[in-house]
Amino acid sequence: KDFSLRMASRTIEADYARAYEQVANSSAHAGRRGDSTVLKTYIFEAAVQSVFTFYEDLDYFPYRLEGYREGIVVGGRPARIPGEASATGREPNRKQSVIRQEVYRCLVVRPECEGEDKAAILFDFTAVRQYSAALDMIVICFLVVCMGLESWDLGRSVNHMVVTPLEKMLRTSHA
């Protein structure tokens, strides 16, 4: 079992919570000053890039985040936590190649992360599945060759132990 998948989801969730907290604190201060600009933080985007960079050299990698909305409202003010949009890769052709790693628990209460719904990172395991299929094919071919050799050897042994002596007996009885 690969624990890096779990760690990636926990890291992403923790950094989303930190970014949310920073935006919430900024919202409280800006509200007192009467500032109406959209609040923004890049903590989460940096964390997403860090996680995606970690998987660059591996045969599997994250390709999408779910449950990390960029446009939010904090204390009645619009805010942005960029990061989810930068995590868009190509979806695998086969659904069997998708591994969905959900967060253990949501650190920020949000509609995308309530009840049974959890934020998640989707991983593409296409290359891993292809490697596994190739190894399965090699094992099957090896077994077929072994069974062929065994049947050839069994036929040769039966011929040597039964058929040849029986032919000799029949030849001597006819002669």
Side-chain angles (χ1 to χ4, degrees):
K1 190 135 182 151
D2 185 353
F3 292 112
S4 74
L5 303 181
R6 267 194 233 159
M7 184 53 81
S9 69
R10 288 181 182 175
T11 300
I12 293 289
E13 182 65 20
D15 286 328
Y16 189 79
R18 281 190 325 132
Y20 186 89
E21 188 177 313
Q22 183 181 20
V23 167
N25 289 340
S26 297
S27 175
H29 294 302
R32 282 185 243 142
R33 292 189 313 257
D35 191 357
S36 63
T37 58
V38 175
L39 302 169
K40 200 178 211 181
T41 181
Y42 293 98
I43 293 172
F44 183 62
E45 190 171 41
V48 169
Q49 290 306 317
S50 174
V51 167
F52 276 62
T53 301
F54 174 80
Y55 288 98
E56 279 180 348
D57 297 333
L58 299 175
D59 289 334
Y60 57 94
F61 50 89
Y63 71 92
R64 188 171 65 213
L65 298 177
E66 290 181 352
Y68 297 99
R69 198 165 22 130
E70 290 190 1
I72 61 172
V73 176
V74 179
R77 298 185 44 136
R80 286 189 36 81
I81 303 177
E84 184 177 34
S86 66
T88 54
R90 195 175 67 83
E91 187 168 348
N93 293 333
R94 307 184 106 204
K95 295 293 182 198
Q96 296 146 328
S97 297
V98 176
I99 301 292
R100 179 184 170 88
Q101 180 63 50
E102 294 184 345
V103 297
Y104 176 68
R105 70 182 170 96
C106 299
L107 301 176
V108 175
V109 177
R110 56 193 186 271
E112 299 86 7
C113 211
E114 289 180 346
E116 294 296 315
D117 294 333
K118 300 277 190 211
I121 303 176
L122 301 176
F123 287 86
D124 181 354
F125 270 69
T126 300
V128 174
R129 301 267 188 207
Q130 289 171 341
Y131 182 71
S132 177
L135 289 178
D136 288 346
M137 288 188 324
I138 289 170
V139 167
I140 289 170
C141 289
F142 176 74
L143 290 174
V144 167
V145 167
C146 286
M147 287 172 31
L149 288 173
E150 187 58 36
S151 67
W152 173 77
D153 187 48
L154 179 65
R156 193 175 59 89
S157 296
V158 167
N159 195 25
H160 179 70
M161 295 171 76
V162 176
V163 175
T164 304
L166 204 62
E167 282 178 343
K168 272 187 186 178
M169 283 179 16
L170 287 173
R171 264 190 249 127
T172 56
S173 69
H174 283 335

